[in-house]
Amino acid sequence: MTSARSRPSGEPAPRGPGHRLATAGSIGCRFGTSDAADGWEELCRHALSNTRRCLETLRADPRSGAGNDRQHRLRGDLATHRHNGRDMEQWEYEVTSGGRVRYVIDDDNRTVWLIYASPRHPKDTDR
């Protein structure tokens, strides 16, 4: 069985933090942590088509949320996240009923940094 990291048709194919998931002319998507890369691989194993749809949405317009109840900006303490020494907007995409991808948007570099990816719901919203 081929893993999501090496599956040619199962893009994204993560290689670790900073690995670029992009095509020419699109917004770049990169892993901010190795945990996010591992979680993305696990999401691909559980729900490949939904994970691909998430990636396509993030590449096209990471802030859209328009007509998409699966994508929203986080609120309160989670509204921003410090990445690479800068505070950035933090958003979440619901890949499956429990699976989530959290990302921050780096407008200056046209990059979305994936901070969290897992088929399980993050615990910090269970307050």
Side-chain angles (χ1 to χ4, degrees):
M1 182 167 155
T2 306
S3 77
R5 289 182 190 247
S6 61
R7 182 184 310 119
S9 63
E11 193 185 353
R15 294 277 190 274
H19 179 75
R20 197 162 194 62
L21 304 174
T23 57
S26 69
I27 295 172
C29 292
R30 300 186 81 155
F31 293 108
T33 67
S34 57
D35 286 344
D38 292 343
W40 185 272
E41 184 175 309
E42 196 173 352
L43 271 172
C44 286
R45 283 195 304 270
H46 285 67
L48 181 60
S49 62
N50 286 5
T51 307
R52 177 179 281 287
R53 191 173 306 116
C54 169
L55 178 63
E56 290 166 356
T57 300
L58 298 185
R59 284 179 174 165
D61 186 358
R63 287 188 178 93
S64 104
N68 183 356
D69 59 350
R70 291 184 171 266
Q71 181 184 14
H72 60 275
R73 180 159 183 202
L74 294 174
R75 296 178 286 189
D77 294 343
L78 300 172
T80 59
H81 177 84
R82 182 168 286 275
H83 184 70
N84 289 340
R86 295 178 36 220
D87 289 333
M88 298 181 226
E89 295 177 23
Q90 184 168 221
W91 287 65
E92 186 172 82
Y93 190 99
E94 181 182 331
V95 178
T96 64
S97 61
R100 300 289 188 276
V101 170
R102 285 198 182 159
Y103 58 96
V104 295
I105 303 168
D106 181 349
D107 290 310
D108 295 341
N109 297 308
R110 290 185 45 82
T111 301
V112 168
W113 289 95
L114 303 181
I115 303 302
Y116 174 89
S118 175
R120 290 166 293 287
H121 196 280
K123 303 237 182 290
D124 58 4
T125 56
D126 295 342
R127 299 176 194 187

